[in-house]
Structure formats: C-alpha cells, structure tokens
Amino acid sequence: MPVTIGALRESAPQETRVSLVPEVADKLAKDGARVLLERGAGERARFPDALYKSVSWAASAGEVLAGADVVLTVQPLTVAQIGELKSSTVVIGFMQPYARAAEVRALTARGITSFAMELVPRISRAQSMDALSSQAAIAGYKAVLIAANALQKFLPMLTTAAGTIRPAQLLVIGAGVAGLQAIATARRLGAVVEAYDVRSATREQVKSLGAKFVETGVSAEGSGGYARELTAEEKARQQEVLDSRIAAADAVVTTAAVPGRPAPKIITRAALERMRAGSVVVDIAAEQGGNCELTRAGETVEHQGVRIIGAVNLAGALAYNASEMYARNLYNFLKPALSQGELAIDWNDEVFAQSCLTRGGEIQHEPTRKALGGSA
Ligand code: NAD
C-alpha cells in the first residue's frame, strides 16, 4: 500500500502558509505516495486548488487527519486534531515544543510519532531541510521593509537638485540567519548598516555583507553553534557600547534569540529614550518576549516619538515564498524515508533520531521532557 501523505488548511486564524505546495505534491506523487489535501489548503498562500494536479481531495480536516499516514503541518496540531489521528500516524511540522505542553502531551498519550522541524540538526547534510533558517531569512528581509516603511527618511543616500540626502543608519542586533538577511536587504536598499552579535564568528559574515561590526569585547560562544546566556557583568559591558550605537540609529532590527529561552532583553527603556524621535525598532523576537523592554507582540508601541514594532509571523507575510521554501524543507526531510511509495524511517539516521519529538508514548527530545517536568 502506498503511504498517504496529508496536508491541511491551517486552522490557526493568523496562519497564511501551507505545508504542501503543488510542486512538492507532484514530487511526492512521482515518488509513489498518495497525497490527500484538504480543500482550500493553499488558498491563503495563493495556491488555489486548481494548481494541485496530483492529489486526492478531502472535504474536511477530519478526513485528512483520520486518513493520512503522514500529516504535514505548519503550526502544531491542536489537542482536538491530535485526537482525530490514527495512532500509527507520523506528524511532521513546527511543534513549538517549549510552548505547547498540552499538544506535546496529547501526541505522547496517543502514541503518535512526531518530528519537530525546530529540532532538525544544523549539520551540512540537513541544510536543505532547515525550516528555521528558511523562515528566518524571510523574517529578516521583511523586517527591513517594515522599518523602511515606518521611517520618514530614505534609506539610501540621494544626490538631488535639492541637495544631498544622508543615508539612514540601520542597526541589526543578532546576526544569525534572520539578522544576516536583514543586513543584506538593508545594504541593497542603500542604508549604512551596523550589526552586533554575541557570537564572534558572525564578525566576518557581517563584514562580508558590507556592514560594520559593533565591537563590545563580549563573546558568548555556546554549544551547537548557538549563543549561551550572558553573565550580569558581560551584559552590562555589552549594554554600554550597544546603547551608544542604538542612540545613533534611525532604525534598529532586533533578532537575538537563545533556543528554549525567552529572548534576551537588549534595548532598555533608557536606551530607547536616547533615540531620536521618528526612529523605529522592529523586533523580530517579539513572540519570544522581545529584545526591547517595551515590545508588545503584534502591536506597535510609541514611546517619546520612537516606534517599537512587535513583529509577529513575518514569514506569513510572504506566504507564497515561505510556503514554497517550507514545503521543500519538508520534502527533503521526508524523502529519505520514502522507499517505493512506502514509509521506512531509518532510526539510525541522526536527522530522524534528533528531530523526533514523540514516539512510542514517550517524549524523545530530552530538553522538552525536562521542561515538561519529566512526565509524558
Ligand atoms: P537564533 O535565531 O537562535 O538567534 C539569532 C542570533 O541571535 C544568533 O546569531 C545569536 O548568536 C544571537 N544572539 C543571542 N543572544 C544575543 C545577545 N544577547 N546579543 C546579541 N545577539 C544575540 O539563531 P539562528 O539564526 O537560528 O542561527 C544559530 C546558529 O546556527 C548560527 O551560528 C548559524 O550560522 C547556525 N546555523 C547553521 C546551519 C547549518 O550549518 N546547517 C544552518 C542554520 C544556522
């Protein structure tokens, strides 16, 4: 029997992306799988049903949940949706393991095998499956466009008959995937860009994109390529230098994150009050609590003429490309487990082993198990 791979119209009201785009549905069908899609699944990302040529249609989400062997999602399934799955189902998608305890417990209780795209190891072989990176790059790009829109200034230098316009100064805090894309975008638009990250390895990357690296003398190399949390003394030293750069910026894009932890607070109220009126902060870390003390997720706060934009679901603002990239990430992840149209997961493969969140009634990912109090 060929494996049935299902995808839903995402149920979260703010979610515009879809986990399966026509190009990937065709590939799966070519690989011998049966693809089961809920009607209207791709509509909000501008993939109308007519573009999906090689799928079977389900009239409801329930039909997909009960009928599929593998369910591909963008957002985590709800507890109610998990209740509709067969216990042999494999679910693959973003799982937000630290934030969605009830859903993780429901997956465990039902004995579902689930893979969290957040947990795909960041090794070279898995780059084509790295959904955190594909979606973060979109967020970095979009954040700069939002900043440009909110400013009452040009980004580039202009030489006009009415005189010369100075270029805007843009500061990027956090030079991971999102931050680097923000730098590249701001540079293309002609801004003068500075960037800062606690990982010293980013210095060369920042410079190679034509931005200046802010030197604070603090390094926070952590394990696995991520940052660690800083000590109080390190934070104070970092803050001193950063505050002066924040004060000089017309726009600040913040992207700093530490996996499994709230976002570090980097822009204090005092630092904001040193910024010129009309300046803007776009905080990509808003959903993790924000990098700025005044950030409110999903809202724009104005403080002494400075606007702080708590950006959420930025990838969803480019739903078409975001869905394309995400669906390709899912395909590249799943492909090695598809053999002549059947599902065969190699548990010796570190990509499957490390990205597995729940299996056989247990939480497989240790940090999540600990965060949930050790119980399943
Ligand atoms: P992330 O979203 O977890 O964090 C964003 C950035 O914030 C990181 O660069 C981090 O160092 C920085 N940061 C954290 N605390 C900070 C602070 N207090 N002040 C300033 N900056 C702070 O990171 P990410 O974009 O997902 O990337 C994390 C790492 O993984 C990077 O080294 C990246 O190059 C690497 N990576 C590797 C692969 C691969 O090899 N396949 C793929 C993607 C990313």
Side-chain angles (χ1 to χ4, degrees):
M1 278 285 283
V3 61
T4 297
I5 298 173
L8 305 166
R9 185 184 164 92
E10 291 287 317
S11 60
Q14 77 284 5
E15 187 51 77
T16 48
R17 293 167 292 177
V18 60
S19 60
L20 201 55
V21 298
E23 164 205 321
V24 172
D26 288 347
K27 279 189 184 171
L28 289 170
K30 229 172 164 181
D31 292 339
R34 172 173 173 259
V35 180
L36 181 61
L37 200 61
E38 181 183 352
R39 286 215 174 270
E43 245 166 35
R44 281 176 289 181
R46 308 290 179 225
F47 293 104
D49 288 355
L51 292 181
Y52 293 87
K53 303 289 184 203
S54 44
V55 304
S56 307
W57 290 104
S60 67
E63 215 178 309
V64 175
L65 293 166
D69 304 307
V70 177
V71 175
L72 304 177
T73 68
V74 181
Q75 296 289 336
L77 293 178
T78 63
V79 171
Q81 287 174 324
I82 293 166
E84 294 184 59
L85 298 169
K86 298 183 285 189
S87 62
S88 57
T89 312
V90 173
V91 183
I92 311 173
F94 284 128
M95 299 281 165
Q96 302 176 22
Y98 300 112
R100 300 293 191 98
E103 288 80 354
V104 176
R105 288 200 173 96
L107 288 165
T108 314
R110 295 287 328 279
I112 305 289
T113 299
S114 64
F115 292 100
M117 292 310 279
E118 294 95 331
L119 302 180
V120 169
R122 286 180 137 175
I123 54 174
S124 312
R125 181 166 65 84
Q127 274 183 13
S128 64
M129 315 168 193
D130 188 344
L132 280 182
S133 288
S134 68
Q135 306 302 295
I138 297 171
Y141 166 82
K142 188 68 183 179
V144 170
L145 299 189
I146 290 172
N149 244 338
L151 281 177
Q152 290 171 335
K153 291 185 172 182
F154 281 106
L155 255 51
M157 183 179 98
L158 286 192
T159 310
T160 77
T164 299
I165 302 290
R166 289 158 65 100
Q169 296 263 347
L170 192 134
L171 172 66
V172 175
I173 299 178
V177 179
L180 291 174
Q181 192 58 244
I183 296 169
T185 305
R187 289 286 301 144
R188 278 183 218 124
L189 289 171
V192 172
V193 184
E194 289 190 313
Y196 173 67
D197 197 293
V198 280
R199 290 182 300 114
S200 56
T202 58
R203 182 179 287 105
E204 287 313 311
Q205 295 166 334
V206 164
K207 286 185 182 167
S208 72
L209 290 170
K212 188 176 166 214
F213 190 82
V214 176
E215 303 285 354
T216 64
V218 176
S219 163
E221 240 58 61
S223 62
Y226 290 107
R228 66 173 168 84
E229 260 205 314
L230 299 179
T231 65
E233 193 186 313
E234 286 171 328
K235 276 183 189 160
R237 195 142 34 101
Q238 178 197 52
Q239 200 66 56
E240 245 172 61
V241 178
L242 266 182
D243 283 3
S244 68
R245 302 323 304 151
I246 292 165
D250 296 300
V252 184
V253 171
T254 66
T255 75
V258 179
R261 310 270 315 157
K265 289 276 181 277
I266 298 171
I267 306 185
T268 60
R269 176 184 288 264
L272 269 179
E273 290 176 355
R274 286 174 61 188
M275 292 181 81
R276 288 183 294 273
S279 304
V280 54
V281 175
V282 180
D283 191 344
I284 296 190
E287 273 161 300
Q288 287 80 47
N291 291 144
C292 173
E293 271 180 13
L294 270 64
T295 296
R296 280 203 233 121
E299 292 180 31
T300 298
V301 175
E302 187 158 339
H303 183 69
Q304 298 186 357
V306 177
R307 265 174 298 168
I308 304 110
I309 300 174
V312 294
N313 194 14
L314 287 181
L318 269 74
Y320 186 91
N321 287 145
S323 301
E324 266 186 324
M325 295 164 89
Y326 183 66
R328 288 177 193 159
N329 292 144
L330 288 176
Y331 178 76
N332 294 328
F333 178 85
L334 186 57
K335 171 82 175 140
L338 290 179
S339 164
Q340 290 163 351
E342 291 190 22
L343 190 68
I345 297 166
D346 175 6
W347 290 104
N348 292 319
D349 180 334
E350 63 178 317
V351 174
F352 289 124
Q354 287 185 32
S355 55
C356 183
L357 179 64
T358 64
R359 184 185 175 206
E362 282 178 18
I363 301 173
Q364 303 291 323
H365 180 239
E366 205 185 318
T368 303
R369 194 165 55 234
K370 278 190 184 149
L372 266 58
S375 62

